[in-house]
Amino acid sequence: MNIVLLGAPGAGKGTQAQKLVEEFGFVHISTGDLLRKAVKAGTRLGRQAKSYMDSGKLVPDELVIGLVKERLSEPDAKVGWILDGFPRNTPQAVTLDSELKSFEVTLDAALLVDVEEDVILNRLSSRRTCRSCGYTATADVSVCPRCGGQMYQRDDDKPSTIKERLRTYQIQTAPLIEYYRGHGILKKVNGARSAEAVYSDVKELLGL
């Protein structure tokens, strides 16, 4: 099964993707992870992307599309994948459809994790991320339980940046909901609950 995850920053998309990967073996393709890897490696794309990410703005389409195309062409992606963070706007969705068609791959569902803005602000402002492996946790966790690395607050998890990210989401990304609804593959779940409750509904919606 091939899935696109939709929802505002902090809606809990990554958590649900991780649960699906653990239970069903899907490949989780996070554009955020791909971009941070490129930034950490200091590649040309990474250097270009960093200025956008630090200010809470979306990385330009051509940079993201190049990374996604490379990742989808890797062998492990052929078993089924969850695309998290892409597409972020309707032109990207159209491009994705075209690329998948060239691979003779079908997009089975667009899963929307729906959460109110005030809930997201509280979630993200208290989130901390491991410098070493990218694991996320709440502010009371100072040492990564996965690798022992240092936990810190990313620039794009600070309140002022969160508001900018949400504004950008509403302008550029929210129209994707109607795009995929029009294609008949939109699945919507209430994400303002425990991760376990959300996951139960996710499996039901996807027929898993």
Side-chain angles (χ1 to χ4, degrees):
M1 173 173 277
N2 301 318
I3 304 164
V4 162
L5 278 176
L6 301 176
K13 302 185 298 295
T15 298
Q16 296 306 312
Q18 184 178 4
K19 289 180 176 297
L20 288 167
V21 168
E22 291 174 354
E23 184 168 356
F24 299 101
F26 298 132
V27 174
H28 181 205
I29 302 174
S30 166
T31 53
D33 290 345
L34 292 178
L35 286 165
R36 282 188 285 274
K37 182 178 179 180
V39 168
K40 186 174 182 179
T43 65
R44 179 182 59 82
L45 185 151
R47 291 193 300 273
Q48 293 176 0
K50 188 176 188 301
S51 62
Y52 293 93
M53 295 168 67
D54 287 349
S55 61
K57 296 179 180 178
L58 296 182
V59 176
D61 289 2
E62 60 271 19
L63 299 182
V64 182
I65 288 170
L67 280 175
V68 172
K69 285 175 62 177
E70 289 181 0
R71 188 64 184 89
L72 288 178
S73 66
E74 294 180 12
D76 62 345
K78 298 185 185 303
V79 302
W81 40 261
I82 302 167
L83 196 51
D84 180 5
F86 183 93
R88 288 184 181 270
N89 53 51
T90 304
Q92 286 184 349
V94 173
T95 299
L96 176 62
D97 287 345
S98 176
E99 293 297 335
L100 293 180
K101 185 176 181 180
S102 70
F103 294 157
E104 298 185 346
V105 172
T106 300
L107 179 60
D108 299 299
L111 177 65
L112 170 63
V113 182
D114 191 38
V115 182
E116 294 294 326
E117 183 172 318
D118 58 340
V119 175
I120 289 173
L121 282 168
N122 288 333
R123 280 184 181 178
L124 290 186
S125 61
S126 64
R127 184 168 71 176
R128 299 295 182 268
T129 303
C130 176
R131 291 188 184 277
S132 300
C133 73
Y135 180 87
T136 59
T138 54
D140 59 335
V141 178
S142 59
V143 178
C144 177
R146 177 188 292 169
C147 73
Q150 178 188 10
M151 304 295 287
Y152 77 110
Q153 185 178 45
R154 287 166 32 195
D155 288 339
D156 55 358
D157 284 340
K158 295 178 180 178
S160 60
T161 307
I162 294 168
K163 291 179 181 179
E164 173 65 17
R165 294 171 69 196
L166 291 173
R167 186 188 70 83
T168 302
Y169 168 78
Q170 289 299 329
I171 295 172
Q172 298 189 24
T173 311
L176 280 173
I177 297 169
E178 296 306 317
Y179 177 85
Y180 285 118
R181 180 178 283 121
H183 282 67
I185 60 172
L186 182 71
K187 310 291 184 181
K188 181 178 177 180
V189 64
N190 176 9
R193 299 170 296 155
S194 70
E196 291 73 21
V198 175
Y199 185 54
S200 177
D201 284 356
V202 165
K203 289 196 291 183
E204 183 177 351
L205 285 169
L206 297 177
L208 297 172

